[in-house]
Amino acid sequence: GAVVSQHPSRVICKSGTSVKIECRSLDFQATTMFWYRQFPKQSLMLMATSNEGSKATYEQGVEKDKFLINHASLTLSTLTVTSAHPEDSSFYICSASTRRGRSDTQYFGPGTRLTVL
Amino acid sequence: QKEVEQDPGPLSVPEGAIVSLNCTYSNSAFQYFMWYRQYSRKGPELLMYTYSSGNKEDGRFTAQVDKSSKYISLFIRDSQPSDSATYLCAVQSSFAGGTSYGKLTFGQGTILTVHP
């Protein structure tokens, strides 16, 4: 149980284009979904938190107009990187959380590797 | 000072060795503790989840929490080459209804290599 999928797993795009990444919780309804970014040999950096039907909460320094998050249902969240540039190239990982006792446990997707040429 | 400190390693051990991975945290508000394993180019996988001081065992893995010293550990017994990965500790504050969204704070991750 607690499987999270991401699509696509890998994407290469030209500078200036927009890229959409989907995150789905397959066998549970997620109370919250999170989007992270990870550079090589570094830990995960939280970009934003989203709850179904409400606006995402972005971490300090993350441009909300650059990284658009839509949380359409309890099992689907999307991250759109708008007007992507080479510096946006990174590994993007989503997670979905479900209540476990009194805390929320996060289960991670397999990640999406974005390369912007 | 970072909220969670973790030695990035790298750590290299022979097959069969006992591995000890450690993290310290600074905020006593953190009440829940996790260990994730991340293989190269993959998403993190939840290994262990604890919320109280003491030990929790699952197969070859033992998670240990000492809230008084704000110290968490993961022990791997009889380590295998397939255990080679990056291990991330994560901490979480108490869930507080709708005002908390269960944000995780991660350590830097320790790169572990188990060689045959």
Side-chain angles (χ1 to χ4, degrees):
Chain A
V3 178
V4 177
S5 70
Q6 263 182 262
H7 179 79
S9 58
R10 192 166 194 170
V11 58
I12 301 172
C13 69
K14 292 182 179 179
S15 184
T17 60
S18 294
V19 175
K20 179 186 282 188
I21 303 170
E22 287 189 352
C23 177
R24 293 181 185 271
S25 56
L26 298 185
D27 52 0
F28 66 100
Q29 291 187 327
T31 49
T32 305
M33 287 187 169
F34 302 82
W35 287 95
Y36 294 84
R37 185 173 180 175
Q38 187 177 34
F39 292 104
K41 299 191 177 182
Q42 293 190 22
S43 192
L44 285 75
M45 183 192 80
L46 179 65
M47 298 175 67
T49 304
S50 72
N51 293 287
E52 183 257 345
S54 60
K55 288 184 179 180
T57 301
Y58 290 82
E59 295 298 299
Q60 192 172 8
V62 178
E63 299 175 58
K64 61 181 181 180
D65 295 329
K66 172 80 173 172
F67 299 99
L68 300 178
I69 292 173
N70 182 271
H71 198 148
S73 72
L74 287 173
T75 60
L76 173 64
S77 176
T78 60
L79 169 69
T80 301
V81 183
T82 62
S83 186
H85 288 93
E87 58 266 28
D88 298 324
S89 299
S90 188
F91 193 50
Y92 292 87
I93 310 174
C94 73
S95 72
S97 70
T98 183
R99 185 71 60 83
R100 181 174 181 164
R102 290 188 298 165
S103 78
D104 284 359
T105 299
Q106 289 186 33
Y107 296 92
F108 287 82
T112 296
R113 184 158 302 280
L114 170 63
T115 302
V116 185
L117 302 176
Chain B
Q1 182 189 8
K2 292 181 181 178
E3 288 190 290
V4 182
E5 298 273 3
Q6 182 177 7
D7 186 344
L11 183 61
S12 181
V13 301
E15 184 175 355
I18 296 174
V19 176
S20 172
L21 304 167
N22 310 293
C23 288
T24 58
Y25 62 96
S26 57
N27 192 338
S28 58
F30 295 130
Q31 297 290 316
Y32 303 98
F33 310 94
M34 295 94 175
W35 283 96
Y36 287 87
R37 177 176 63 194
Q38 185 177 23
Y39 291 111
S40 181
R41 300 174 184 265
K42 301 290 185 183
E45 169 196 8
L46 180 64
L47 277 180
M48 301 288 283
Y49 161 88
T50 56
Y51 59 88
S52 59
S53 284
N55 294 348
K56 181 177 181 180
E57 191 173 316
D58 184 359
R60 296 185 294 110
F61 298 92
T62 300
Q64 190 174 77
V65 175
D66 182 347
K67 288 186 176 180
S68 62
S69 58
K70 300 186 181 68
Y71 194 84
I72 58 177
S73 301
L74 178 71
F75 299 96
I76 307 174
R77 291 186 301 280
D78 187 25
S79 56
Q80 304 293 312
S82 59
D83 295 329
S84 299
T86 297
Y87 289 81
L88 297 149
C89 64
V91 299
Q92 187 182 58
S93 61
S94 299
F95 182 75
T99 63
S100 169
Y101 51 79
K103 177 180 174 180
L104 291 178
T105 302
F106 283 91
Q108 190 174 350
T110 300
I111 300 170
L112 171 67
T113 301
V114 181
H115 51 87

